[in-house]
């Protein structure tokens, strides 16, 4: 009986060890599954951007010269007729819209190109303050109150691409201003810099109407926009996502707060800089949804 009891104890210990291995294996399988899903989503997005890039390259080659001619002739006619002529405003509109088309093509090419980032020590607070300053005149003109919090006089400093960071920040802020105007008065935009031990975050919140559930999963898709014709191309957030991921960060649309109107976008970067592969670490340590979940719950 004693021998059998000892054998039972040994068998139970072995079973417990096997159960532990099973739990570890299950966690490992879950981690690998998440990694595979992230890789699948990244591949799908890269294929989509590559298709956009091929289209943009062909369109740019064929259309840039005609657009330059349209803008040039419109400018020449406008100057020759003078400011008092009844067609002056129409010719200026033709010229501006031609340049807008050229700008759209340029952004399309920038979205598809995987250009190397120019990494250097960057004062993140200074980038955010400068972006807010650039957006402030437009916000003031549209009677939108803008606040900035968490950005000290100097720092925090981390290795990144200053131009890309400013493009992301300015795009998110200007989008928030557009959204705030559509909400209930008074329209406002809140920009926050958040510091954590290993990460730096930019949070942009607006007081607009929020983003409908059927739209939330598509906000980062190229060409998808809810703005009126002529006001948006649907490329801004797609470009932001591309830039953020190239810098090793993560961008997400925060869960909708039923008691708080508007939308909240969060951008997180590892303090040490890093590559796109670091985005999984950012998601894991900050508790952001991974690729096996919708970006928006």
């Amino acid at each position: 009986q004693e021998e059998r009891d000892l054998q039972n104890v040994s068998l139970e210990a072995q079973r417990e060890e096997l159960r532990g291995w099973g739990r570890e294996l299950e966690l490992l399988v879950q981690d690998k599954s998440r990694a595979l899903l992230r890789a699948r989503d990244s591949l799908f997005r890269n294929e989509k951007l590559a298709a956009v890039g091929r289209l943009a390259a062909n369109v740019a080659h064929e259309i840039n010269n005609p657009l330059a001619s349209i803008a040039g002739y419109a400018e020449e006619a406008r100057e020759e007729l003078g400011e008092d002529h009844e067609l002056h405003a129409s010719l200026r509109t033709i010229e501006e819209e031609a340049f807008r088309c050229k700008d759209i093509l340029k952004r399309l090419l920038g979205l598809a190109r995987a250009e190397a980032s120019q990494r250097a020590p960057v004062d993140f607070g200074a980038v955010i303050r400068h972006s807010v300053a650039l957006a402030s005149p437009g916000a003031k003109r549209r009677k939108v109150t803008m606040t900035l919090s968490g950005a000290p006089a100097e720092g925090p400093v981390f290795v990144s691409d200053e131009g890309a960071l400013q493009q992301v920040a300015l795009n998110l802020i200007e989008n928030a201003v557009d959204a705030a105007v559509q909400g209930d008065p008074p329209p406002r935009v809140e920009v926050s810099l958040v510091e954590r031990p290993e990460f730096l975050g930019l949070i942009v919140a607006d007081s607009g109407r929020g983003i409908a559930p059927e739209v939330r999963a598509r906000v980062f898709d190229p060409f998808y926009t809810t703005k009126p014709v002529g006001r948006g191309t649907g490329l801004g957030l797609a470009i932001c996502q591309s830039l953020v991921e190239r810098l090793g960060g993560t961008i997400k649309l925060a869960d909708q707060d039923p008691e708080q109107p508007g939308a909240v976008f969060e951008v997180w970067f590892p303090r040490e800089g890093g590559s796109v592969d670091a985005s999984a670490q950012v998601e894991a340590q900050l508790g952001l949804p991974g690729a096996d979940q919708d970006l928006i719950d």
Side-chain angles (χ1 to χ4, degrees):
Q1 182 65 40
E2 289 177 357
E3 186 177 351
R4 282 197 298 271
D5 290 344
L6 290 173
Q7 290 175 350
N8 288 336
V9 170
S10 177
L11 288 171
E12 182 60 32
Q14 292 174 10
R15 280 195 293 267
E16 183 58 36
E17 186 176 4
L18 286 172
R19 282 193 289 268
W21 288 348
R23 287 191 293 269
E24 291 181 10
L25 181 60
E26 185 178 354
L27 292 174
L28 182 60
V29 169
Q30 290 176 357
D31 288 343
K32 293 300 181 183
S33 297
R34 281 193 289 267
L36 286 172
L37 287 169
R38 272 194 295 269
R40 181 202 65 185
D41 289 354
S42 177
L43 179 61
F44 176 73
R45 187 164 53 249
N46 288 338
E47 287 177 348
K48 185 189 296 185
L49 294 182
V52 170
R54 289 191 294 270
L55 171 65
N58 292 330
V59 170
H61 177 72
E62 298 295 334
I63 291 184
N64 260 332
N65 289 337
L67 284 175
S69 298
I70 291 170
Y73 281 117
E75 180 183 14
E76 183 179 347
R78 180 171 55 81
E79 292 177 350
E80 185 172 340
L81 293 174
E83 295 185 2
D84 297 330
H85 196 276
E86 60 181 358
L87 294 178
H88 183 272
S90 298
L91 290 168
R92 179 179 288 279
T93 300
I94 292 172
E95 183 183 352
E96 290 174 351
E97 290 303 298
F99 279 112
R100 192 171 79 88
C101 290
K102 289 174 68 69
D103 183 59
I104 290 171
L105 291 173
K106 181 179 178 182
R107 282 187 285 167
L108 273 171
L109 290 170
L111 173 65
R113 288 195 195 110
E115 297 175 344
S117 300
Q118 302 298 317
R119 304 293 182 98
V122 176
D123 187 325
F124 194 41
V127 171
I128 304 306
R129 288 194 303 275
H130 185 55
S131 300
V132 170
L134 289 174
S136 288
K140 186 176 181 180
R141 187 169 57 252
R142 303 175 74 180
K143 296 180 171 49
V144 177
T145 301
M146 189 180 304
T147 60
L148 173 63
S149 61
E154 293 184 2
V157 175
F158 76 119
V159 176
S160 191
D161 184 324
E162 183 172 350
L165 288 176
Q166 182 166 311
Q167 185 174 355
V168 170
L170 189 58
N171 202 310
L172 290 178
I173 294 170
E174 290 180 342
N175 277 358
V177 171
D178 285 341
V181 173
Q182 305 300 320
D184 296 330
R188 63 188 184 281
V189 171
E190 298 174 3
V191 182
S192 306
L193 190 156
V194 181
E195 294 189 62
R196 295 191 181 177
E198 297 182 12
F199 302 99
L200 294 173
L202 167 65
I203 299 177
V204 181
D206 64 70
S207 63
R209 298 173 182 172
I211 299 177
E214 64 272 14
V215 175
R216 295 170 71 83
R218 299 191 60 191
V219 293
F220 295 106
D221 286 357
F223 300 111
Y224 186 80
T225 180
T226 58
K227 294 180 180 179
V229 176
R231 288 292 307 278
T233 61
L235 293 173
L237 288 175
I239 292 173
C240 284
Q241 185 182 52
S242 178
L243 291 173
V244 168
E245 291 186 350
R246 288 178 200 173
L247 296 176
T250 296
I251 183 171
K252 70 180 288 257
L253 174 60
D255 294 339
Q256 191 80 33
D257 184 350
E259 299 182 359
Q260 187 71 25
V264 180
F265 283 88
E266 298 182 7
V267 183
W268 295 94
F269 295 102
R271 282 184 179 266
E272 299 301 322
S275 64
V276 173
D277 295 337
S279 61
Q281 180 188 11
V282 176
E283 292 173 354
Q285 296 197 28
L286 290 171
L288 301 180
D292 57 325
Q293 302 169 303
D294 290 335
L295 269 175
I296 310 306
D297 292 336

